[in-house]
Amino acid sequence: MLIDTHAHLDSCQLRDEISALLERAAAAGVTRIVAIGCDIESSRSCLDIAERFPQVWATVGVHPCYVTEVTQPDWQERLRQLAGHPRCAALGEMGLDYYHDPPDGWSLKDYQARQHEFFSAQLALAAETGKNVVVHQRDRKGLECWRDIVRLVTPWNGKLRAVFHCWILPWAEAAPVVENGHLISFTGIATYPKAPETHESAAAVPDGSFMLETDSPYIAPVPHRSQRNEPAYVRHTAEAIARLRGVSIKHIAAVTGGAADAFFRL
Ligand SMILES: [Zn+2]
């Protein structure tokens, strides 16, 4: 039984056919899905989906690419209320994004400062509410974003666990954070032939410290690459990682399912 731990089910590319998506997922052995919120409204939508479908849980948070759009002064209080919902499995998607340009009217410096402010506030809220966190990080090149992520998460070691989603960096970067109880998760990039660092990390990470995800509707795995992604396709990522680790897909399903149960407290 596979779990897709990161799907944007509220996205306009998926939300109108959720019942059909969930049926195809179940047919592919993907029996549970975590719907990932990106701002206050999307978090509320993900909780609505989780209320309607027992196999879906939700996260609530503000994605770094949406920090300039969240203008409610009481956004933290709104998030705190959503975090108290019984179907809320974690806080996020939160983090830092140095890949995309700042929106019109924002300097890079101010944009990144606002991302840091939102990320730090959500880490504190997670510790306060006893939730773990789903973390986004993306660089154009190099490790500047990742270094800042590690710096901001480190004070919370032992108080909360983070999953660094869509892991594509070398294992040497993951090893110290995994040592501190955090997790990494793999998308369809693990199925791409030219992703040596992702493959290296997927082969090296210990059982219990990694999970599987689609990041639907984005980053579809081979053989659906460049099409719209959906939760059923997490099976392709599971198969690729089973091959990289020299184990059965059944084993991968068991250890990633166990890791997700513990992390999200499903
Ligand atoms: Zn995402």
Side-chain angles (χ1 to χ4, degrees):
M1 296 298 154
L2 293 162
I3 305 183
D4 180 1
T5 63
H6 195 120
H8 294 282
L9 293 185
D10 67 308
S11 98
C12 56
Q13 294 181 64
L14 301 177
R15 66 182 172 219
D16 294 334
E17 48 165 313
I18 290 201
S19 300
L21 286 178
L22 294 178
E23 272 172 35
R24 290 198 290 274
V30 183
T31 50
R32 290 180 293 173
I33 297 153
V34 181
I36 302 288
C38 284
D39 62 18
I40 303 295
E41 290 72 33
S42 124
S43 297
R44 181 67 249 176
S45 303
C46 289
L47 285 170
D48 288 344
I49 296 167
E51 281 174 358
R52 281 164 52 211
F53 301 98
Q55 65 273 55
V56 177
W57 280 261
T59 70
V60 304
V62 180
H63 187 289
C65 294
Y66 294 88
V67 293
T68 60
E69 288 168 33
V70 175
T71 51
Q72 304 100 324
D74 62 341
W75 70 269
Q76 287 186 55
E77 186 46 42
R78 290 178 189 228
L79 213 52
R80 183 180 285 110
Q81 278 172 16
L82 295 176
H85 190 287
R87 304 292 291 174
C88 172
L91 260 62
E93 178 164 2
M94 63 175 75
L96 303 174
D97 187 298
Y98 296 176
Y99 179 83
H100 293 96
D101 287 327
D104 286 347
W106 284 79
S107 70
L108 183 62
K109 187 166 166 277
D110 289 348
Y111 184 42
Q112 292 191 350
R114 193 169 172 89
Q115 290 191 11
H116 282 229
E117 179 199 324
F118 271 69
F119 186 29
S120 297
Q122 291 179 88
L123 286 166
L125 184 59
E128 177 200 315
T129 56
K131 303 280 183 193
N132 291 322
V133 295
V134 177
V135 177
H136 168 106
Q137 53 96 16
R138 193 167 178 196
D139 259 306
R140 286 197 184 163
K141 58 177 168 52
L143 293 166
E144 190 195 349
C145 184
W146 172 241
R147 296 274 180 262
D148 285 349
I149 290 274
V150 172
R151 188 167 52 77
L152 291 172
V153 168
T154 297
W156 300 101
N157 286 350
K159 301 186 182 84
L160 53 75
R161 301 173 84 196
V163 59
F164 301 105
H165 109 93
C166 193
W167 187 260
I168 56 168
L169 298 176
W171 171 241
E173 296 298 330
V177 295
V178 164
E179 188 77 17
N180 282 315
H182 304 298
L183 283 77
I184 56 179
S185 74
F186 297 101
T187 59
I189 291 173
T191 69
Y192 297 176
K194 290 179 191 155
E197 293 173 335
T198 306
H199 297 163
E200 182 212 17
S201 289
V205 60
D207 282 353
S209 293
F210 71 103
M211 302 190 287
L212 305 175
E213 58 165 305
T214 57
D215 205 12
S216 305
Y218 315 108
I219 340 180
V222 173
H224 304 286
R225 194 170 177 175
S226 75
Q227 298 165 18
R228 186 200 68 176
N229 201 359
E230 63 175 74
Y233 299 168
V234 84
R235 167 164 288 273
H236 300 296
T237 301
E239 284 166 353
I241 291 179
R243 275 195 301 277
L244 285 163
R245 294 170 75 85
V247 298
S248 66
I249 186 167
K250 208 172 155 196
H251 179 80
I252 291 295
V255 298
T256 56
D261 280 339
F263 183 85
F264 292 108
R265 305 180 188 114
L266 301 181

